[in-house]
Amino acid sequence: PLLPCTTTTTPAIMPSYRYTRSSFPGLLFHPLHYDLVFDVLPETVQVTATQTYMCMCEEATNEITLNAHNLNVKSIELVEVAQKLGPPPSGLSARLPDFVAYKAAVDEAAEKALTPLAFTVDGDARTVVVTLPFSVERGHEKSEFVIRTVSECTPTHNILEGLYFDYTPEGAPQTLITQCQQYGFQRIVPCVDRMASKTFYTTTIVADARYTSVLSNGDVPDTFSDENGFPQPRSIDDVFGSAAGVRGRGGITLRESGEMERRVTRYHNHKVNMAPYLFFLGLGNYEVYRRQVEYAHGAKFMLELMCFPGLVKREHAEASLESLNDSVLWVHLSCGPEACEHVQEREEIYRLIGERDELLRALAGGSLVSRGNDTLKFVKDAAKEARLAEVRARIKELFGAWSEAGYEYKGKCYREIAMENSDYGGMENVGNTTIISSRLTPSDWLVDGGYIYMEGVKVHEFYHNINGSQVTGASPFEIWLNEAVTVHVQREREDVIFGHSFMRLRILMYALAPGKGPLAEDRSPISMAVEPAGFNSTHELISAMTYSKAPEFVRMCEVILGRPKFVRALENYHQKYAFSNATTGQWIAEMAALAPSNVDVVAMAKGWLSRTGYPTLQLKSCEYDAANKRVRVKVAQSGFEEHAEDQRYPWVFPVEWSAVRAGEDVVTGVYVMDAAEGEFTVEGVDAPIDYVSVARDWSFFGQTSLECATQDELVLRANTETDPINRFLAIQNVLDAERARLIRKMVARECSAEQVAGHVPALHKAVLSDAAIARGTKALLLGVAESAGSYAEELGHRYAEIARAGTAIKQAMSDSHAPELIHAMIGAYEASQASRGPVSGVGDRMFVYTCYGVLRAGFFAPSALESRAAVEKPLEAVAGAAKKAGHDGFDVVAFLKKLLSSRFMSDKQFALRAVVELPDCVLSPEGRAALQMETRDAWTVHPIGCEQYLTSISYTDCDDTPRLIRELMEEPFFNMNLSGHARTVARGWSNNPKRSVLTDDGLALLVYLTGAVGRVNQMSAYSLVTAFSVVDKLEGERRAKVRTAIEDALGQLDPKEHESLHGKLSALLASSS
């Protein structure tokens, strides 16, 4: 799956766990086939599951234990059938049984006789123990056997695991969808619910005939589809040979449904064995759009986009399918073991695919997308058809250069399905990816970050078909293995679309986010390793460690191996463990086999995956040796010294470096750090250099301290670094040093005469005026984060002083060059409004927001330093600065109103927050409220617009924010059962610790949200734990108040019902005692 946004929280280390490594021994019973019949009525769903198992036990037993969570198990029976499936197939060359013939044989046997079996349900253990009438063991003549369970599950609105209710169009039957990651399948049917229990499925659904879409994994067989391949439900009598209430074919008895007409749909998931957490069932009324994928060698399959009716414009649906189509082809052509080869052929193929599709569009009347059950109608045009044939032939010829291409989808159809309510932003379900509706397509309501997410989630979930589905981690401890490589590939695709520097900077800035970023979380008192000692809920594994730290580990492996060997090792892994499960050790072994002989990848992996924390690289010295034309570089690392003795060893990580002179790279290379101290030599340097740039492109998950750099060198690096990542870090080093100095003065109350050092605004102005930097990258470089910085980690909890120091720095920047900022901001705004498409204007808009943030501090915020005079008449002051820049008549409130009426949702969302945060001297409370209410009424009529309104208000930063959030939660459109609503207010408020932790009303709101959100959905409340986690750094009265607040939050939760969240807070309280 993919998380709904980049903010994640660190799961807590618990004193005891529901699950440890010992909870996942080898399978005792391996499922070979699940034949599921879903009998769907509005209140409950009855599932008749005919399950074929093979006993893998070394000792004889007459019991099989199934997982079952909150199920009403009605009966379990034995089906005695002569036909056998044989051992579970695995590997690319495995021969698959004829499951259709097998199902017919089992149905025939079930019609003749079903033998009731005794069983015991244990609700606390979430199991059903079934007693067999015979003993079985591996190799025994009855080691393969068939049982049938009949059970009922009850969908809900707020338990987003198993089968639950989702957004339903007016007048339609209630939408039902499933979420089986990680243990949702056992909420649907008694089963062996393990990642290792991969099997094949035949799924039959009996449901209200008014559903326009009835979906599951696999392909619809010909007997249930029309001549165009579209699903064609059949009558109950036709399929089962009897009416509901009467025992029919296969010994199945369906429940009676009164006046409701029901129809039957079937799916065969007979090609790819599938872990239970990937099972999907969906019943709803969607607006369906289709587009065919055509691979370079000519193979084709259908893409389907399932949208909520009336909420998506056709143009946006078409754009979404084009993006998905492009990502599918990119995975095939630009991934795989030959990703570094065939550069010219690949470029030519992409160009010809563009021409091929334009020809097809022309022949199809302008669009390759069909709607509903319509099919494309192609006109006759001999010239275009001839050229199309030539292009296809040439593409195929060029593709002949490949021996092994990237992943190729083998199903008939791949769907993306809108969902409104989920703990995940996207979830792979083998052919049926569910995506939160606000990120399914471009739209008038989608912010820029949402569009970036939309592109990423498409390739992420599709790539899971090979990494996670075709090859699956052996247990939840390998969830990182499913996700990290997939995120790594996703990032490569995002680099193609949005640019590497821009995306890499976003990743780094998120990692460095104070208090809540992955680096901060990884050193928090409740952090857990990528592969932890244990867990209580698999939701705890869907964390920043899985989605940020682990992908960086994968990237480090690629840097060390080099890309050609890395993609070869990855392909070896995918081939060796195809259609089976793999462990961390097996993935590492494939990397180690192609790694340089001097790098111990096994030891490297142990350090990164099994312990918390990260290294800090210290640049100790750089000495130029003129006689030998070399530079000797000495480095050291820290970050492992305080670990337990068995984990107290240095990290192994790559350090990409460059010798830089006059803003140009002289020599570049990679040094692998594997000791507490190290040294490397830069050869072939014929003249002194300015400095050595280390850890370029953030080459390892950690931080770098330039200990040997003087203040002048730091400024030089900030102005001349050739690597955008290190230029950003160099700028932040300068800001950090000044911010730390100011914070210490503030803490000591020695700040009355202080001023911001002049080199800080000078550096900001230099970057602002650097025409060589793209606006998007420049926006990230110019940001002033609310953090203590690397120079003052011990002050990281001083949120009030951090904010004050940041304001002081912004005010110095504004005082220095406000006219230039205004001119640059207006220029970027005009460029953004003229841009076409969602990608081209992203950087311009980000730049506008960055400039405004500095100007807001400069003109509207109280002076942060006593030595700075207050700004009198701020509106006039802004207008005066604008006039100097040639923008006479500029009015900041009018400018914000223009943003509020922009055609870009990012502008609107930013402007609403900015308006709400305006001081009374700029816009009266009545004026702010009027604009807020007008915006609320316009946005909340649409589900995605409602989400954006919630986000804007929840992330405001002003004295009114606690009141605004409480009022927000009382609005009729706010729905606590929707994870997107609950998660937004929780994340918004926990994102503001200077108010949520350090003020009494803020802390009261934090406690209230923990109970209100956590009782409905624990995962939505995880971010609130992060806000509380600063307790161990606080002192005196505030520490005592936060501890009391944690106790109050615990008092609102049930230790059993809210096991995961209660455990996190309990561990936090214990760690701060």
Side-chain angles (χ1 to χ4, degrees):
L2 191 61
L3 292 173
C5 73
T6 53
T7 304
T8 59
T9 55
T10 303
I13 293 179
M14 311 299 180
S16 61
Y17 306 101
R18 176 178 287 274
Y19 303 104
T20 64
R21 275 286 184 185
S22 63
S23 306
F24 305 97
L27 288 180
L28 297 180
F29 293 90
H30 199 299
L32 303 178
H33 179 245
Y34 283 158
D35 181 4
L36 310 176
V37 177
F38 286 87
D39 179 351
V40 182
L41 293 179
E43 294 79 21
T44 61
V45 176
Q46 178 176 286
V47 187
T48 301
T50 307
Q51 310 179 24
T52 303
Y53 288 100
M54 175 163 285
C55 178
M56 314 299 285
C57 305
E58 297 299 335
E59 297 181 0
T61 180
N62 68 336
E63 291 184 342
I64 175 173
T65 299
L66 305 178
N67 302 106
H69 191 179
N70 286 349
L71 294 177
N72 174 20
V73 183
K74 293 182 171 182
S75 65
I76 302 180
E77 299 163 308
L78 179 71
V79 183
E80 297 197 53
V81 57
Q83 186 167 332
K84 304 297 181 184
L85 288 174
S90 66
L92 289 171
S93 60
R95 294 185 63 184
L96 302 181
D98 183 343
F99 291 105
V100 175
Y102 177 74
K103 171 179 164 51
V106 174
D107 284 349
E108 182 180 352
E111 286 181 36
K112 293 178 180 178
L114 289 169
T115 304
L117 299 177
F119 61 91
T120 303
V121 176
D122 185 336
D124 290 336
R126 302 172 186 173
T127 60
V128 178
V129 179
V130 184
T131 303
L132 301 171
F134 46 77
S135 292
V136 292
E137 61 184 306
R138 182 192 291 269
H140 187 270
E141 62 178 345
K142 291 190 175 181
S143 62
E144 182 180 326
F145 60 92
V146 182
I147 62 173
R148 171 173 288 177
T149 65
V150 179
S151 59
E152 280 186 356
C153 60
T154 303
T156 69
H157 287 279
N158 69 299
I159 299 176
L160 308 182
E161 188 178 58
L163 189 62
Y164 65 91
F165 300 124
D166 199 40
Y167 174 86
T168 302
E170 187 175 351
Q174 176 69 59
T175 300
L176 287 168
I177 63 171
T178 59
Q179 170 56 255
C180 293
Q181 171 94 21
Q182 193 69 46
Y183 292 126
F185 195 59
Q186 62 188 262
R187 288 180 177 269
I188 300 171
V189 60
C191 61
V192 176
D193 199 359
R194 291 272 301 277
M195 291 171 70
S197 54
K198 299 178 74 169
T199 192
F200 300 87
Y201 294 74
T202 300
T203 304
T204 305
I205 307 108
V206 184
D208 193 325
R210 293 177 298 160
Y211 285 118
T212 59
S213 296
V214 177
L215 310 169
S216 192
N217 311 92
D219 298 323
V220 178
D222 292 342
T223 52
F224 284 81
S225 58
D226 63 17
E227 66 276 8
N228 294 315
F230 299 143
Q232 183 169 298
R234 294 162 57 184
S235 69
I236 291 176
D237 185 67
D238 185 30
V239 176
F240 293 96
S242 64
V246 179
R247 190 170 186 267
R249 292 193 186 105
I252 303 292
T253 303
L254 301 174
R255 297 175 298 171
E256 296 183 2
S257 58
E259 297 299 317
M260 180 195 301
E261 180 189 358
R262 295 195 294 171
R263 305 285 287 177
V264 185
T265 305
R266 180 169 292 165
Y267 286 84
H268 289 166
N269 191 76
H270 296 171
K271 296 178 182 177
V272 178
N273 56 345
M274 184 175 73
Y277 78 89
L278 297 169
F279 177 81
F280 180 73
L281 178 70
L283 300 93
N285 292 70
Y286 301 96
E287 200 163 37
V288 184
Y289 294 89
R290 295 183 174 88
R291 188 209 196 281
Q292 191 176 67
V293 173
E294 182 177 343
Y295 282 118
H297 58 290
K300 301 173 184 177
F301 69 92
M302 188 64 72
L303 299 176
E304 289 187 352
L305 190 71
M306 321 292 286
C307 307
F308 293 143
L311 298 184
V312 176
K313 294 179 180 179
R314 182 185 178 101
E315 65 193 82
H316 294 145
E318 292 197 11
S320 178
L321 284 170
E322 288 301 319
S323 294
L324 178 57
N325 175 77
D326 291 348
S327 286
V328 168
L329 296 179
W330 178 85
V331 167
H332 189 235
L333 291 170
S334 296
C335 298
E338 298 175 25
C340 301
E341 304 171 37
H342 322 303
V343 175
Q344 292 181 341
E345 290 91 345
R346 183 179 293 109
E347 184 178 336
E348 180 68 2
I349 287 175
Y350 280 135
R351 186 190 68 77
L352 288 170
I353 285 175
E355 183 181 353
R356 180 197 69 193
D357 288 355
E358 283 304 313
L359 287 165
L360 286 168
R361 283 190 188 91
L363 292 169
S367 175
L368 293 179
V369 174
S370 61
R371 182 177 175 180
N373 284 347
D374 294 339
T375 56
L376 297 180
K377 301 295 191 294
F378 293 92
V379 299
K380 294 292 184 180
D381 187 318
K384 287 185 173 62
E385 290 171 355
R387 177 55 186 162
L388 180 61
E390 292 175 1
V391 169
R392 280 173 164 158
R394 179 57 179 158
I395 292 173
K396 192 170 184 178
E397 179 186 5
L398 289 166
F399 185 69
W402 274 258
S403 298
E404 297 174 281
Y407 171 74
E408 179 184 341
Y409 186 73
K410 296 296 186 181
K412 294 179 181 178
C413 178
Y414 177 81
R415 300 180 191 88
E416 288 186 340
I417 306 161
M419 60 179 175
E420 183 180 46
N421 205 9
S422 177
D423 289 327
Y424 308 103
M427 177 64 203
E428 73 280 11
N429 300 295
V430 183
N432 295 274
T433 286
T434 47
I435 297 177
I436 204 77
S437 60
S438 60
R439 302 295 184 268
L440 181 68
T441 72
S443 78
D444 298 334
W445 301 100
L446 192 61
V447 295
D448 292 338
Y451 183 79
I452 293 172
Y453 184 96
M454 185 207 81
E455 290 284 5
V457 73
K458 289 182 182 301
V459 69
H460 179 102
E461 306 303 348
F462 181 78
Y463 192 77
H464 266 313
N465 281 293
I466 184 171
N467 194 76
S469 300
Q470 189 164 297
V471 182
T472 309
S475 77
F477 289 96
E478 277 85 14
I479 282 179
W480 83 267
L481 191 54
N482 291 353
E483 297 300 329
V485 173
T486 304
V487 170
H488 180 72
V489 172
Q490 169 195 335
R491 289 175 175 179
E492 291 177 338
R493 176 63 181 157
E494 289 169 337
D495 287 351
V496 172
I497 299 170
F498 301 104
H500 174 76
S501 296
F502 175 73
M503 291 306 301
R504 193 68 180 150
L505 275 171
R506 281 173 55 92
I507 291 167
L508 175 64
M509 292 176 69
Y510 165 57
L512 294 173
K516 61 183 182 296
L519 289 174
E521 291 182 12
D522 204 15
R523 284 186 176 175
S524 79
I526 55 171
S527 64
M528 65 195 293
V530 173
E531 287 199 352
F535 57 91
N536 288 325
S537 166
T538 51
H539 285 161
E540 296 163 17
L541 304 176
I542 308 301
S543 69
M545 301 306 100
T546 296
Y547 286 87
S548 293
K549 184 178 184 178
E552 292 301 328
F553 168 73
V554 172
R555 187 177 186 276
M556 286 186 277
C557 289
E558 179 177 311
V559 171
I560 289 173
L561 269 67
R563 181 157 175 76
K565 289 186 176 180
F566 173 80
V567 294
R568 180 69 262 173
L570 191 58
E571 179 68 14
N572 292 346
Y573 165 78
H574 285 145
Q575 289 186 10
K576 184 176 291 187
Y577 302 104
F579 307 111
S580 61
N581 296 86
T583 65
T584 292
Q586 289 167 332
W587 190 88
I588 297 302
E590 297 306 318
M591 296 294 125
L594 297 180
S597 58
N598 63 328
V599 179
D600 188 342
V601 176
V602 175
M604 174 185 173
K606 180 183 177 183
W608 282 103
L609 301 178
S610 64
R611 63 180 173 180
T612 60
Y614 57 85
T616 296
L617 176 72
Q618 293 123 20
L619 183 62
K620 293 292 188 180
S621 66
C622 298
E623 299 176 356
Y624 178 60
D625 180 351
N628 294 299
K629 297 183 179 181
R630 64 174 58 149
V631 177
R632 179 175 297 166
V633 183
K634 292 185 178 180
V635 290
Q637 64 163 296
S638 60
F640 61 89
E641 306 88 339
E642 296 183 5
H643 278 78
E645 186 174 354
D646 62 337
Q647 295 185 339
R648 198 177 303 145
Y649 50 86
W651 305 86
V652 180
F653 56 93
V655 179
E656 294 190 68
W657 55 262
S658 173
V660 180
R661 183 192 303 125
E664 294 185 358
D665 296 323
V666 178
V667 186
T668 62
V670 177
Y671 170 71
V672 177
M673 187 78 180
D674 59 2
E677 296 180 346
E679 179 178 312
F680 63 91
T681 301
V682 182
E683 302 286 353
V685 182
D686 57 6
I689 59 171
D690 293 334
Y691 52 84
V692 173
S693 172
V694 294
R696 291 164 68 82
D697 208 29
W698 200 39
S699 64
F700 68 93
F701 183 84
Q703 293 183 307
T704 300
S705 175
L706 304 176
E707 292 187 1
C708 65
T710 63
Q711 182 64 52
D712 288 343
E713 183 181 311
L714 290 176
V715 174
L716 177 65
R717 286 172 179 264
N719 281 303
T720 63
E721 260 283 6
T722 56
D723 172 45
I725 299 300
N726 273 4
R727 187 169 188 186
F728 167 81
L729 290 173
I731 293 169
Q732 292 305 310
N733 274 329
V734 174
L735 294 179
D736 287 350
E738 182 63 9
R739 185 162 34 212
R741 185 183 71 81
L742 292 173
I743 293 170
R744 290 194 176 98
K745 290 288 186 180
M746 291 171 183
V747 171
R749 300 185 179 180
E750 299 173 352
C751 206
S752 59
E754 289 300 319
Q755 293 183 341
V756 175
H759 67 267
V760 173
L763 173 60
H764 189 268
K765 185 176 181 180
V767 176
L768 179 69
S769 60
D770 190 337
I773 307 175
R775 281 199 184 107
T777 302
K778 191 180 292 187
L780 300 177
L781 292 175
L782 292 174
V784 181
E786 282 199 3
S787 71
S790 58
Y791 284 84
E793 289 184 10
E794 78 280 6
L795 301 176
H797 62 289
R798 296 280 186 177
Y799 299 122
E801 290 85 359
I802 289 169
R804 185 181 165 196
T807 299
I809 290 172
K810 290 178 184 176
Q811 288 175 340
M813 294 169 176
S814 179
D815 294 346
S816 166
H817 47 275
E820 290 87 343
L821 279 164
I822 293 172
H823 180 72
M825 181 179 73
I826 293 174
Y829 167 76
E830 292 173 347
S832 168
Q833 298 307 302
S835 64
R836 294 186 177 183
V839 177
S840 60
V842 170
D844 295 325
R845 289 188 285 279
M846 288 185 62
F847 185 75
V848 169
Y849 313 151
T850 298
C851 291
Y852 176 85
V854 176
L855 293 167
R856 175 181 180 272
F859 290 100
F860 303 151
S863 293
L865 299 177
E866 296 174 29
S867 60
R868 179 182 184 262
V871 176
E872 302 292 340
K873 300 180 180 180
L875 283 176
E876 294 180 14
V878 174
K883 186 175 182 179
K884 290 180 182 178
H887 300 282
D888 196 6
F890 177 79
D891 180 279
V892 70
V893 175
F895 180 72
L896 291 176
K897 288 181 178 179
K898 284 203 298 185
L899 289 177
L900 261 178
S901 61
S902 167
R903 61 192 174 95
F904 299 108
M905 193 64 208
S906 287
D907 286 346
K908 295 177 182 180
Q909 189 183 77
F910 174 82
L912 178 57
R913 287 178 56 192
V915 165
V916 172
E917 293 171 354
L918 286 173
D920 294 352
C921 61
V922 176
L923 185 63
S924 69
E926 295 77 15
R928 296 197 302 272
L931 282 173
Q932 180 188 342
M933 295 304 100
E934 179 184 342
T935 304
R936 178 200 64 186
D937 295 343
W939 292 9
T940 56
V941 296
H942 192 284
I944 305 177
C946 184
E947 177 185 309
Q948 304 301 3
Y949 180 76
L950 293 174
T951 301
S952 296
I953 300 304
S954 299
Y955 281 83
T956 56
D957 183 12
C958 60
D959 293 341
D960 288 335
T961 302
R963 172 182 62 81
L964 292 172
I965 289 178
R966 289 183 184 273
E967 291 175 354
L968 187 68
M969 296 175 69
E970 296 299 320
E971 292 278 13
F973 54 78
F974 183 84
N975 186 350
M976 187 68 80
N977 286 322
L978 292 180
S979 60
H981 287 201
R983 185 169 53 229
T984 296
V985 294
R987 287 179 174 174
W989 190 233
S990 62
N991 192 56
N992 194 353
K994 68 178 181 291
R995 298 185 187 275
S996 63
V997 176
L998 299 188
T999 66
D1000 290 347
D1001 62 337
L1003 197 56
L1005 178 57
L1006 197 64
V1007 172
Y1008 168 72
L1009 288 174
T1010 303
V1013 175
R1015 286 192 301 271
V1016 176
N1017 186 316
Q1018 296 179 77
M1019 193 173 182
S1020 294
Y1022 283 173
S1023 62
L1024 300 166
V1025 180
T1026 301
F1028 282 123
S1029 66
V1030 73
V1031 62
D1032 69 315
K1033 297 180 181 178
L1034 300 175
E1035 300 169 349
E1037 182 182 4
R1038 180 51 49 181
R1039 180 187 179 98
K1041 285 186 174 182
V1042 175
R1043 280 185 54 83
T1044 300
I1046 296 173
E1047 292 171 347
D1048 291 344
L1050 279 167
Q1052 301 181 63
L1053 303 171
D1054 182 89
K1056 184 176 179 180
E1057 186 178 354
H1058 312 115
E1059 179 181 31
S1060 178
L1061 188 60
H1062 193 279
K1064 290 173 181 292
L1065 290 169
S1066 298
L1068 193 56
L1069 197 61
S1071 73
S1072 64
S1073 60

